[in-house]
Amino acid sequence: MKGLTLDHFLVFSTMLFSLGIYGLLTRRNLIAMLMSVELVLNAAALNFAAFHHYLHGGDPAGAVFPIMIIAIAAAEAAVALAIFITLFRHDKHLDVQHADTLKH
Amino acid sequence: MHAVFFYLLAAFILFSASFVVTAHNLFRSAMGLIAALLGVAGLYLLMDAQFLSAIQITVYIGGIVVLMVFVILLVTDVTQKLFQQCAGWRKGIVGVLAFLLCFLMSSMMLAYQFHPPKPVPAKSASVEDIGHALLSPNRGGFILPFEVISLVLIAALIGAVTVARSDEETQEAQKS
């Protein structure tokens, strides 16, 4: 493990996070925005794992949180994609600039 | 050696992540997401966290991204560039802001010296430790969050099915 430190992972996950934020703000398609959110969540989970590995000597709490994040991401993706399908059936597009209503 | 792998993986992940946020075709974006998630699984392996790496591949790539690919195929014509792009000047501004965010956050993290409660050698939790922690009701156990997560998942899945059902299906179900 020589040469690799916590800082490497922190800086890298910050980059991944910023890329995700960039995608979230520039994309206009809802599915593309959801994919950017997945990048942000991954950066957060990576940080948890890095801290648990480098600072806390493998305290299992640090490994449990990424698992929770992945489970929440799965729930979020399921609900969001269901909403997208309904929205698409109704409006025939998934453009955030024109999707201003969720009601029929 | 580890550092070389780290830099290679980091470059790979950043490349595929930038593909995710810029590709014009949604399907290609999803493929980029698969590549990025695989790379992060590789980083977990580099940190000796085999269980997290396996979860990342099976649940994230095998579950979430495959679900997304299905929805992309359902709602868009992948042969067309169906979705509109954001204006160029807005992309520029957001790009500068994201770069600033990245720079500020990383300099903040590098300036702050993280100190462990007591210095310990770098190691990761074994699968056994994680299993015990997840299901132990004692101090340091996560049985309550674990159960709550399972409730959240079942509620989300039932909610997803209810929301995604078409009107005709709902009417038919009400008739019978």
Side-chain angles (χ1 to χ4, degrees):
Chain A
M1 233 15 84
K2 293 162 289 292
L4 264 189
T5 58
L6 177 65
D7 291 343
H8 286 87
F9 284 91
L10 289 183
V11 171
F12 170 72
S13 70
T14 311
M15 288 176 181
L16 196 57
F17 177 83
S18 308
L19 256 177
I21 293 287
Y22 171 81
L24 191 62
L25 292 179
T26 53
R27 291 297 220 174
R28 277 176 61 180
N29 184 288
L30 281 167
I31 299 179
M33 287 173 82
L34 186 66
M35 289 198 265
S36 309
V37 172
E38 302 294 338
L39 288 182
V40 172
L41 286 173
N42 250 277
L46 192 65
N47 255 2
F48 271 112
F51 273 107
H52 124 101
H53 179 77
Y54 286 104
L55 281 195
H56 294 274
D59 182 357
V64 167
F65 272 96
I67 298 175
M68 299 283 174
I69 290 176
I70 290 173
I72 292 288
E76 171 220 323
V79 175
L81 291 172
I83 293 174
F84 296 168
I85 288 181
T86 318
L87 200 63
F88 183 77
R89 210 178 268 147
H90 187 232
D91 289 352
K92 302 287 174 250
H93 66 77
L94 281 178
D95 189 350
V96 272
Q97 306 255 305
H98 300 293
D100 48 5
T101 176
L102 281 177
K103 281 164 72 180
H104 286 282
Chain B
M1 200 59 210
H2 275 289
V4 175
F5 276 125
F6 174 83
Y7 288 120
L8 281 178
L9 271 175
F12 173 70
I13 296 169
L14 288 180
F15 176 74
S16 33
S18 52
F19 201 68
V20 174
V21 297
T22 54
H24 285 240
N25 187 318
L26 265 186
F27 193 75
R28 291 194 186 155
S29 225
M31 293 302 131
L33 186 61
I34 291 182
L37 295 178
L38 264 180
V40 174
L43 282 187
Y44 283 142
L45 269 189
L46 214 55
M47 277 192 284
D48 241 3
Q50 293 91 353
F51 184 64
L52 285 182
S53 169
I55 290 274
Q56 173 94 0
I57 291 176
T58 53
V59 180
Y60 235 121
I61 300 177
I64 301 176
V65 181
V66 168
L67 188 68
M68 279 184 183
V69 169
F70 268 113
V71 174
I72 290 170
L73 294 178
L74 268 180
V75 303
T76 55
D77 184 359
V78 284
T79 54
Q80 286 179 1
K81 288 174 184 168
L82 240 204
F83 67 112
Q84 291 81 3
Q85 292 289 307
C86 177
W89 59 272
R90 193 180 286 187
K91 272 186 190 167
I93 292 177
V94 172
V96 171
L97 283 180
F99 184 76
L100 265 181
L101 177 78
C102 173
F103 177 73
L104 286 177
M105 275 176 66
S106 37
S107 53
M108 200 177 75
M109 289 202 178
L110 290 180
Y112 186 82
Q113 294 294 318
F114 291 102
H115 287 297
K118 52 182 187 304
V120 280
K123 86 185 239 310
S124 278
S126 66
V127 182
E128 200 186 343
D129 293 341
I130 298 173
H132 281 302
L134 265 181
L135 289 176
S136 134
N138 305 321
R139 197 169 175 282
F142 288 88
I143 183 79
L144 184 63
F146 183 78
E147 295 296 340
V148 171
I149 283 275
S150 55
L151 269 181
V152 167
L153 271 175
I154 191 96
L157 289 181
I158 294 173
V161 171
T162 319
V163 169
R165 249 176 154 188
S166 65
D167 292 338
E168 298 90 64
E169 283 167 354
T170 321
Q171 278 161 6
E172 275 168 27
Q174 280 167 350
K175 265 184 223 156
S176 57

